[in-house]
Amino acid sequence: MTLSRVATVVADPGSVDAAIASRFSCRAFLRDRPVPRATIEDILALASRAPSGTNTQPWKVYVLQGAARDALVEKACAAHDAMYADPALAQEYREEYDYYPTRWVSPYIDRRRENGWGLYGLLGIAKGEKDRMHAQHQRNFRFFDAPVGLMFTMDRVLGRGSLMDYGMFLENVMLAARARGLHTCPQAAWNGFAKIILPHVGAGEDEMLLCGMSLGYADLDAHVNTFDTPREPAASFTRWVE
């Protein structure tokens, strides 16, 4: 470790706090406002400072722009539409690891429902409007119109601890993006389409898809971007042991 890193003083903690507090899952981007490659490279280089057990650095990133992005969107949307028409096809598109629990319990199921119905309520999608729900869910597979799509993988040989390491890397990506005026949306929705995504990006057979992410400039006029997810107060999840 360099002396400069040890001695570094964060002179503007308010900006760090603002980057954290202003991060949210952006669901509408400006498609026609590109993100320079150099900016993406800077974000990923900074994010790589995330800690990882014994410095294993398990992250692998695939950046999709232009024609490669658009081609993946078409493939994923076609598969999503096919599954909607024939739910039995869902068996062909299964995520490789359990992102969500197999059995939901409170308070987690309550927060999940609040989040889902809160978003649909904001968009005026009523319970039972399956076509509109499907269309909104498919926005994931259009990267919410973001010009940049990111796919994150890691080698299957690694253990569950690497998933924790990876989470810190992903958060660094999102905060570094905020520092540069960009927004993101981390997306586990892509995980079921690994059999489409991994060959498309040229990933190796030993790689596992962890999630996707949309990256770009937020559409400030989009109503969906006013959706605010609540957080529990720190006192509710903290126990002081003295």
Side-chain angles (χ1 to χ4, degrees):
M1 182 180 293
T2 63
L3 180 61
S4 62
R5 190 172 299 154
V6 175
T8 294
V9 175
V10 179
D12 184 13
S15 292
V16 178
D17 293 353
I20 296 171
S22 64
R23 186 220 61 81
F24 76 108
S25 293
C26 182
R27 293 180 173 87
F29 293 84
L30 298 176
R31 178 74 174 90
D32 58 355
R33 187 175 178 186
V35 181
R37 176 169 177 160
T39 300
I40 302 171
E41 290 174 340
D42 287 346
I43 289 171
L44 295 176
L46 185 60
S48 73
R49 293 305 311 174
S52 59
T54 63
N55 200 32
T56 48
Q57 304 175 66
W59 34 82
K60 295 184 179 182
V61 187
Y62 297 89
V63 183
L64 293 120
Q65 295 175 285
R69 171 209 174 278
D70 296 346
L72 180 59
V73 165
E74 291 305 312
K75 291 177 184 177
C77 287
H80 188 237
D81 285 338
M83 287 170 57
Y84 186 54
D86 181 5
L89 291 176
Q91 295 299 317
E92 297 184 19
Y93 300 104
R94 300 180 64 86
E95 60 187 12
E96 190 163 341
Y97 72 99
D98 293 330
Y99 183 85
Y100 292 112
T102 56
R103 183 175 67 89
W104 286 95
V105 298
S106 291
Y108 312 111
I109 185 60
D110 308 310
R111 295 169 184 165
R112 175 180 172 87
R113 287 170 176 162
E114 178 187 36
N115 185 73
W117 290 119
L119 176 61
Y120 284 162
L122 180 72
L123 298 173
I125 301 174
K127 187 174 182 178
E129 291 188 295
K130 294 183 179 180
D131 288 349
R132 295 188 65 194
M133 292 179 183
H134 174 74
Q136 177 58 33
H137 189 236
Q138 191 169 103
R139 295 281 295 151
N140 279 280
F141 310 122
R142 299 185 183 279
F143 292 109
F144 298 108
D145 295 329
V148 181
L150 304 173
M151 291 295 162
F152 300 93
T153 74
M154 77 175 195
D155 287 336
R156 292 190 183 91
V157 71
L158 296 172
R160 286 188 295 177
S162 290
L163 293 174
M164 182 172 71
D165 299 339
Y166 220 118
M168 292 183 278
F169 172 75
L170 292 170
E171 181 73 359
N172 274 2
V173 170
M174 292 183 278
L175 296 183
R178 286 301 303 121
R180 289 158 177 78
L182 296 157
H183 277 285
T184 57
C185 186
Q187 299 164 265
W190 285 99
N191 292 2
F193 291 140
K195 64 185 292 185
I196 294 174
I197 296 164
L198 297 179
H200 184 85
V201 299
E205 293 183 359
D206 56 346
E207 293 177 53
M208 175 176 69
L209 179 68
L210 265 66
C211 70
M213 184 182 291
S214 300
L215 170 70
Y217 293 95
D219 182 348
L220 301 181
D221 297 324
H223 188 49
V224 69
N225 282 340
T226 65
F227 183 59
D228 186 28
T229 54
R231 292 295 188 271
E232 293 294 312
S236 72
F237 58 77
T238 305
R239 297 292 180 270
W240 296 91
V241 183
E242 299 177 347

